[in-house]
Amino acid sequence: MKSIYTWANRFDKENLYDYYSTTIDKPLPYEKITRKRMLETIVAYYNINDHLFYALSAQEINLLKKIVENEEKILTDENKTLVSELSSKLLISFSYFADEIYIYDEFYDAIKRVVEKINTAEGKRILELQQVCIGLCNAYGILTKEEFYDCIHRYLSCYTNEQIESIIESSDYFGHRIAILEITYDNIPVTLFTYYDVEEVADFLDVYIDVLALPKYEFNYNEIMDYAAYELNYKNDSLQRLLKRMREINSYFYEDQFLNLIQNVTNLLLDKNMIKKYIYNHYPHYERNADKFFELMDLCDEMGETLNTWAARGYPVSRMSDVLSGLQIDTMKKLERAYHYKTGLSPEDDFNGFLDFIESVTDEEVDEYLYNKEKNQLN
């Protein structure tokens, strides 16, 4: 094990302050605090009572349990997102090159207490409620207060609204994973429980606020748990086929970044070519890989239609037309205009390199790919 203070000066001060200021109740001004003082404050805070327990998800605690118990094969592709989250919370350090992961000395005892608490009845109940709340906000993007509580009661019947409010107020984790906004809609004050990135939510509200009038897609319990952990329907068959193939091709992509891009493009209905360009930028550009590249493009198109989107109140992208048909014609036109306006502002509109690569692929390579694809479908 190692001390976090050994690495104090290596932390980016602005990023460290962002985490410090949203974790501590009364943070000092940025210019009046050092990196070491911020770390000392966070260490002290997490070692008091159950503060650390309320700052973690069930998946994160389970992964910490494996680290404490020195289990092997922790730094896997499947754990990349969770490892990144725990590192951003300053609890661990890791190296994929050295296949090394460890908990900082200052948090070890607190983490052991958290691991013990997750096995208690109280700990399980609190974490389950926490995951359901966060999963709902990640799945729908925005929910009115009434919708939020109704959805919770559909999955968990053992809480009153007052108990839910109390747990939300006591959990630091909620401060990082959901947001509560006060807006006016149709001249009526409305409280919204939303996805934690308020800038992304603001972009969504600019275009799609009228979808609040539409019925919601009903996710099952396991899907909501996936949304809590990954911010999208991670077990979606088409998404898993794409991820599996990208790993096999060894395209050197960061899965957490890739999933975040997919989530953003899908929920805001941005240009799907942004996902394809990401694949292109992380793809091993060898002539022998041309057919595999086209396979990834096909998988990308297949995935895009099956993922659930905020813009359709949780329904898959393929159901957009059916869902939006429930709105008034003038609202439909407004959404269409706003959608084209938003996507037209996309910063990812330079596809020269992408197009050059496509044009460099020979007709024979394309024919071979299409032949193999048809052959596989027949088999």
Side-chain angles (χ1 to χ4, degrees), residues 226-289:
D226 274 351
Y227 269 100
Y230 301 102
E231 300 185 11
L232 77 173
N233 193 350
Y234 186 72
K235 293 187 178 67
N236 174 284
D237 290 340
S238 298
L239 171 62
Q240 286 302 315
R241 281 194 290 272
L242 176 61
L243 293 176
K244 181 176 183 290
R245 197 68 181 112
M246 288 182 72
R247 293 173 191 140
E248 290 171 350
I249 295 170
N250 194 20
S251 53
Y252 304 104
F253 72 109
Y254 293 97
E255 186 166 310
D256 55 338
Q257 292 180 5
F258 187 53
L259 292 176
N260 185 62
L261 173 63
I262 292 173
Q263 180 256 1
N264 189 266
V265 168
T266 303
N267 286 328
L268 300 183
L269 290 186
L270 300 177
D271 190 340
K272 286 186 289 187
N273 281 327
M274 293 168 68
I275 300 173
K276 293 182 177 180
K277 187 181 180 186
Y278 180 96
I279 294 174
Y280 166 76
N281 286 338
H282 293 77
Y283 192 78
H285 293 74
Y286 308 115
E287 188 173 331
R288 66 176 182 272
N289 287 332

Side-chain angles (χ1 to χ4, degrees), residues 3-244:
S3 170
I4 194 171
Y5 301 124
T6 305
W7 312 103
N9 289 330
R10 296 191 183 185
F11 289 105
D12 180 88
K13 186 176 179 181
E14 289 188 7
N15 291 338
L16 181 58
Y17 187 80
D18 284 344
Y19 188 71
Y20 158 81
S21 62
T22 55
T23 301
I24 305 305
D25 292 333
K26 296 179 180 179
L28 294 174
Y30 177 84
E31 63 278 3
K32 292 186 178 181
I33 191 167
T34 64
R35 292 178 179 86
K36 185 177 180 182
R37 179 67 185 279
M38 284 189 275
L39 291 174
E40 289 172 341
T41 307
I42 293 170
V43 167
Y45 182 77
Y46 278 160
N47 277 279
I48 297 174
N49 300 325
D50 290 327
H51 288 169
L52 183 57
F53 178 82
Y54 282 111
L56 298 168
S57 69
Q59 290 85 354
E60 289 168 345
I61 295 175
N62 286 327
L63 190 62
L64 286 170
K65 182 174 183 287
K66 292 179 180 179
I67 300 173
V68 169
E69 295 174 352
N70 292 315
E71 288 194 21
E72 297 181 354
K73 296 183 179 180
I74 292 174
L75 293 176
T76 63
D77 288 332
E78 290 75 13
N79 288 336
K80 275 185 177 179
T81 300
L82 291 174
V83 169
S84 179
E85 283 289 326
L86 290 172
S87 176
S88 70
K89 292 177 180 177
L90 312 176
L91 300 175
I92 65 169
S93 182
F94 66 94
S95 168
Y96 280 102
F97 296 106
D99 192 26
E100 178 185 48
I101 186 168
Y102 58 84
I103 295 167
Y104 288 119
D105 296 353
E106 291 77 12
F107 298 118
Y108 193 80
D109 289 341
I111 286 172
K112 286 186 69 176
R113 292 196 298 272
V114 166
V115 169
E116 291 170 0
K117 187 177 177 75
I118 196 176
N119 293 319
T120 66
E122 179 193 12
K124 290 177 181 177
R125 285 178 64 249
I126 292 173
L127 282 174
E128 184 179 38
L129 172 61
Q130 183 172 276
Q131 296 300 95
V132 167
C133 291
I134 293 163
L136 288 170
C137 290
N138 290 347
Y140 293 108
I142 57 172
L143 289 166
T144 65
K145 185 175 182 178
E146 293 74 17
E147 289 176 327
F148 182 69
Y149 286 132
D150 286 346
C151 285
I152 293 173
H153 295 314
R154 186 154 63 86
Y155 300 108
L156 304 172
S157 59
C158 56
Y159 292 98
T160 65
N161 290 354
E162 291 74 18
Q163 289 173 323
I164 295 170
E165 286 183 4
S166 175
I167 292 175
I168 288 176
E169 289 173 0
S170 63
S171 175
D172 296 322
Y173 191 56
F174 283 109
H176 296 279
R177 296 300 302 275
I178 70 172
I180 303 175
L181 305 179
E182 303 291 340
I183 68 167
T184 300
Y185 178 60
D186 278 349
N187 298 317
I188 299 173
V190 177
T191 299
L192 295 179
F193 283 77
T194 78
Y195 179 67
Y196 72 92
D197 187 334
V198 291
E199 291 185 5
E200 187 173 337
V201 171
D203 285 342
F204 177 76
L205 290 172
D206 283 346
V207 181
Y208 298 109
I209 189 170
D210 290 312
V211 300
L212 280 171
L214 297 174
K216 302 183 304 301
Y217 178 79
E218 290 193 4
F219 294 97
N220 64 43
Y221 177 86
N222 291 331
E223 288 172 331
I224 289 297
M225 292 296 106
D226 274 351
Y227 269 100
Y230 301 102
E231 300 185 11
L232 77 173
N233 193 350
Y234 186 72
K235 293 187 178 67
N236 174 284
D237 290 340
S238 298
L239 171 62
Q240 286 302 315
R241 281 194 290 272
L242 176 61
L243 293 176
K244 181 176 183 290

Side-chain angles (χ1 to χ4, degrees), residues 319-370:
R319 294 286 307 280
M320 276 294 299
S321 297
D322 295 338
V323 174
L324 294 182
S325 65
L327 294 174
Q328 298 292 330
I329 295 298
D330 57 342
T331 301
M332 281 285 289
K333 290 180 178 178
K334 172 187 169 186
L335 285 177
E336 185 177 339
R337 287 196 304 271
Y339 166 68
H340 288 300
Y341 174 71
K342 278 288 179 186
T343 55
L345 289 178
S346 169
E348 301 287 344
D349 60 353
D350 180 12
F351 290 97
N352 292 331
F354 180 81
L355 294 173
D356 288 344
F357 176 71
I358 296 297
E359 291 171 0
S360 71
V361 177
T362 66
D363 290 340
E364 289 77 14
E365 288 170 327
V366 176
D367 289 341
E368 181 183 0
Y369 167 68
L370 293 175

